[in-house]
Amino acid sequence: MFKINYSNIMQDIIGKNGLIANDFNNIDDGKIYKIILNRQYPELAFLDLPEQNTSEIKEIGKIARQFDNFLLLGIGGSALGPRSILESLSPFHNLHKKPKVFIYDNVDPMTLKAILEIIDLKKTFINVISKSGSTAETAVSFMILWQRLKDLGLSHDKHMVITTDPQKGNLRKIVSDYNLKSLPIHPDVVGRYSVLSPVGLLTAEVIGIDSDDLLRGAKEIGQRCKIARLWDNPAIFISSALYLLQVLRNRDITVMLPYSDRLKSFSEWFCQLWAESLGKQGRGLMPYPSVGTTDQHSQLQAWIEGLEKYVVIFISVDDYKADFEIPHIFNNIDGMSYLSGHSLSELIKTEQEATEIALSKKGKPSININIPRIDAYYLGQLFHFFSITTAMTGFLYDVNPFDQPGVEEGKDLTYGMMGKKGYEAKREEFLNYRKNKDKYII
Ligand code: PA5
């Protein structure tokens, strides 16, 4: 089980920017437990993901592993989770393992060109992921790849699996029209909460990770997050702490700072979850992705002496499962020889703690989540923990953590310009904007 140390958000440790135990009396945690217990939002179905049967995913994983390449097409929640699983559990994967994994989660033509130059489609298995089946970016990459397979005379069924809603949407229709392989995403599980569904688990299987290990970790933390007592339930506690630090101390920005390159894309996964779930109705918290020690030489200055806005969440790791002793050389240079005899893991851990102390001394709040090691079990815990924490934080802000109304306008304008039926007025609006947009130019 991972450990959470919250000393550095408490007033007796960091001074006036911190919280006191009584501040937590402002939290109506009973309301949150009730929302969850009554499943007031059907989207809370993600809580059940650790219980799922993975046999179908394993079957498809076995098929995919026979190919040289695995190409994932998806965006947002349909890509960030798989990428985090890939980069956390199999770093530098493509340099030494097969199938090589490519995640195309944009519509940048140069990226697609580069991928198609590297991979041989005859030896490629494609996973198209879209819960809604209507996301334009995924639809176009799917259409392009569909045509490419066809032009090469390759069978779509043999080279593709579609991960989508079990009943609805364009992709589900294509699955049944063309009798394709498919994996279902539970109808009530929304994109950014879907990493522990077939969305992320198939990538895990493809890279040789037992998806059940991710689910075991998730299940364990899920049990702890069911406890109906704020001080014993890590998810409601962290949600409440971050919420209180904002409403009482103006700390608007949540910095995700894992001390491991392997968790860099986890940081990005978290950012989508946090931003898209909480940023609503003029409320919420803003996430900031980072990685230690790298960002000590990039962002730390601002966290320590800049705006009084940040709360840093450290993720520290006990065992990196690799180490290097620093050699006894350059003994005549004091500025280097003091490092000799120590190890890389000692240095990264020391720097993590030193940063924690530096923030604390300046009265800047931080929380430390410590994991014993980075493996499927603990990654599963992190995914599930932050998914639950995000939903709970949304309930504290009284916003729906499962929708994203703010992103619809841009989508509708794009539909209009690209000629989708029913969006003619949006097209007009778009064209009018273009007429006037050069009014102020320098
Ligand atoms: O969290 C969400 O629901 C979104 O970020 C989606 O993941 C993203 O828009 C992609 O949607 P879809 O999987 O329907 O293509």
Side-chain angles (χ1 to χ4, degrees):
M1 181 81 70
F2 64 64
K3 238 182 7 228
I4 299 177
N5 184 327
Y6 62 91
S7 308
N8 285 314
I9 58 165
M10 300 307 285
Q11 215 166 81
D12 57 325
I13 308 277
I14 61 163
K16 66 176 178 24
N17 292 330
L19 299 172
I20 55 171
N22 277 348
D23 289 333
F24 287 84
N25 295 338
N26 293 313
I27 298 289
D28 184 1
D29 53 324
K31 177 184 108 177
I32 310 297
Y33 307 135
K34 219 183 275 165
I35 293 176
I36 291 179
L37 207 66
N38 297 341
R39 295 289 169 105
Q40 216 159 299
Y41 291 84
E43 294 90 342
L44 283 164
F46 80 86
L47 293 169
D48 302 327
L49 289 174
E51 310 291 341
Q52 82 202 266
N53 182 329
T54 53
S55 52
E56 216 182 338
I57 302 169
K58 286 181 191 297
E59 270 307 300
I60 305 273
K62 211 191 278 165
I63 297 169
R65 285 198 298 275
Q66 288 158 13
F67 288 79
D68 284 357
N69 309 298
F70 177 76
L71 172 59
L72 189 156
L73 311 175
I75 196 166
S78 293
L80 289 160
R83 175 169 288 132
S84 169
I85 289 176
L86 169 71
E87 293 179 4
S88 301
L89 303 180
S90 191
F92 300 107
H93 180 88
N94 289 357
L95 295 183
H96 55 111
K97 287 193 184 151
K98 272 195 186 158
K100 289 185 179 168
V101 178
F102 299 87
I103 297 178
Y104 184 57
D105 67 343
N106 199 346
V107 280
D108 183 332
M110 288 180 75
T111 310
L112 186 59
K113 178 172 182 280
I115 292 175
L116 292 176
E117 277 168 6
I118 298 168
I119 63 175
D120 175 356
L121 283 177
K122 288 191 213 76
K123 298 177 183 167
T124 301
F125 191 71
I126 301 169
N127 182 201
V128 185
I129 308 181
S130 176
K131 171 68 198 310
S132 60
S134 61
T135 303
E137 290 90 337
T138 309
V140 296
S141 48
F142 167 61
M143 288 159 84
I144 291 169
L145 265 302
W146 180 273
Q147 188 61 42
R148 287 279 171 125
L149 291 179
K150 192 164 175 226
D151 292 346
L152 290 166
L154 299 170
S155 135
H156 294 110
D157 179 42
K158 191 170 161 232
H159 284 265
M160 240 180 208
V161 60
I162 313 263
T163 307
T164 190
D165 188 280
Q167 267 112 37
K168 297 192 303 276
N170 306 322
L171 286 180
R172 183 50 61 187
K173 177 169 171 17
I174 292 171
V175 166
S176 76
D177 287 355
Y178 292 88
N179 203 16
L180 301 176
K181 284 194 231 357
S182 73
L183 286 169
I185 309 172
H186 186 291
D188 293 325
V189 171
V190 299
R192 56 194 177 275
Y193 292 85
S194 70
V195 57
L196 295 173
S197 77
V199 168
L201 299 188
L202 180 61
T203 298
E205 292 289 338
V206 168
I207 60 171
I209 299 294
D210 186 344
S211 49
D212 289 325
D213 289 342
L214 282 150
L215 297 184
R216 271 193 313 110
K219 194 169 170 178
E220 201 205 338
I221 197 73
Q223 290 303 334
R224 272 189 75 187
C225 297
K226 279 185 189 154
I227 301 170
R229 269 190 317 274
L230 188 144
W231 294 91
D232 296 324
N233 176 326
I236 187 65
F237 180 78
I238 295 299
S239 306
S240 305
L242 293 170
Y243 170 79
L244 290 170
L245 282 164
Q246 187 198 39
V247 297
L248 304 177
R249 307 279 181 268
N250 289 319
R251 297 272 157 185
D252 298 333
I253 302 172
T254 313
V255 176
M256 175 53 73
L257 180 59
Y259 268 67
S260 168
D261 287 333
R262 295 174 66 172
L263 293 176
K264 199 170 173 175
S265 33
F266 173 82
S267 200
E268 280 155 17
W269 170 84
F270 166 78
C271 285
Q272 185 220 3
L273 180 66
W274 204 239
E276 210 166 51
S277 303
L278 304 181
K280 281 159 204 176
Q281 301 169 34
R283 302 199 279 275
L285 288 162
M286 190 59 203
Y288 205 97
S290 57
V291 70
T293 63
T294 314
D295 284 320
Q296 286 176 212
H297 301 268
S298 166
Q299 322 288 341
L300 180 61
Q301 171 62 32
W303 303 332
I304 294 204
E305 290 190 347
L307 299 173
E308 293 286 349
K309 289 284 174 201
Y310 307 99
V311 179
V312 175
I313 300 184
F314 290 96
I315 299 183
S316 61
V317 180
D318 280 342
D319 184 355
Y320 284 86
K321 296 277 168 210
D323 216 350
F324 291 88
E325 196 186 309
I326 302 161
H328 287 272
I329 50 174
F330 308 125
N331 293 335
N332 58 335
I333 305 176
D334 289 348
M336 292 181 98
S337 61
Y338 75 100
L339 295 165
S340 301
H342 296 288
S343 68
L344 273 194
S345 74
E346 193 185 344
L347 182 60
I348 194 169
K349 287 187 210 173
T350 304
E351 291 206 37
Q352 185 276 314
E353 248 184 299
T355 305
E356 210 169 277
I357 299 167
L359 285 164
S360 180
K361 274 179 69 178
K362 289 274 189 178
K364 315 294 163 169
S366 73
I367 294 165
N368 184 315
I369 297 184
N370 176 261
I371 52 172
R373 58 188 174 276
I374 299 169
D375 61 10
Y377 178 82
Y378 286 105
L379 189 64
Q381 289 209 342
L382 289 174
F383 281 139
H384 207 47
F385 172 72
F386 278 106
S387 299
I388 299 171
T389 301
T390 303
M392 286 179 167
T393 311
F395 302 147
L396 289 173
Y397 279 102
D398 231 345
V399 296
N400 178 349
F402 303 112
D403 63 3
Q404 56 279 331
V407 304
E408 298 308 320
E409 185 62 40
K411 278 192 198 169
D412 292 350
L413 287 160
T414 305
Y415 289 154
M417 271 316 276
M418 299 299 277
K420 188 169 177 178
K421 253 213 243 42
Y423 292 83
E424 293 75 12
K426 291 287 165 195
R427 181 182 173 82
E428 282 313 301
E429 209 182 304
F430 204 126
L431 292 171
N432 278 335
Y433 171 80
R434 276 193 177 162
K435 266 189 231 147
N436 298 321
K437 86 169 186 188
D438 291 346
K439 189 168 170 197
Y440 299 106
I441 280 204
I442 193 158

